[in-house]
Amino acid sequence: MRIAVSLLFLALISACAAPSQDIRPVDSQVLIGVWKVDLRPKPNDPAYFQEFVVTTIKGKTFSGTFYGAPIEQARINIDWGTVRIAFVTSDRSGPYNHSATLSGNRLDGLTNSTGRDFLSYWSAIKP
């Protein structure tokens, strides 16, 4: 019985341990360019395309436009072996808080509109 409890305890500890240190370096420069963003509201709705344009990357920040609006407060995180981004755009309704993760050649993102009270999923590819 003690052996079973000990093995269970060890399994729980290893499941909660910090992630492996074998994190591969990634290059955030792959973000630069024009991305075709699909903003369809629901999976079965017709595609609705806009552009996400990344013009420059400096350290852990970038500049460009999303849906024609200038990007503000842009941040990049590559510390976990994946390119992750967050940024803000705005219109008359208020700010839009965006985030995305690069997976292969595709960005999977979320937009939280505090003024229009919605959270939407979007995806983007470089054509």
Side-chain angles (χ1 to χ4, degrees):
M1 177 70 171
R2 279 200 279 184
I3 292 174
V5 171
S6 296
L7 288 174
L8 179 61
F9 179 72
L10 288 173
L12 288 172
I13 288 176
S14 56
C16 297
S20 169
Q21 298 302 315
D22 296 342
I23 296 171
R24 295 182 183 152
V26 293
D27 185 4
S28 60
Q29 296 294 317
V30 298
L31 290 172
I32 293 178
V34 178
W35 294 78
K36 182 179 180 181
V37 182
D38 186 349
L39 294 167
R40 72 183 78 199
K42 295 180 183 169
N44 295 326
D45 289 348
Y48 174 61
F49 296 112
Q50 291 291 325
E51 288 187 345
F52 171 45
V53 180
V54 178
T55 53
T56 60
I57 294 177
K58 293 181 182 176
K60 295 187 176 194
T61 189
F62 63 96
S63 59
T65 59
F66 187 85
Y67 202 115
I71 290 172
E72 302 171 359
Q73 301 175 33
R75 301 291 179 265
I76 299 173
N77 184 306
I78 59 171
D79 296 338
W80 294 92
T82 302
V83 177
R84 291 184 173 89
I85 59 174
F87 58 97
V88 178
T89 59
S90 60
D91 65 12
R92 289 186 209 133
S93 71
Y96 294 79
N97 299 293
H98 311 274
S99 64
T101 301
L102 183 64
S103 179
N105 64 347
R106 174 184 163 128
L107 284 169
D108 288 302
L110 292 172
T111 295
N112 178 27
S113 171
T114 57
R116 294 189 179 179
D117 195 29
F118 70 78
L119 176 67
S120 65
Y121 165 79
W122 54 267
S123 63
I125 59 168
K126 278 188 184 176

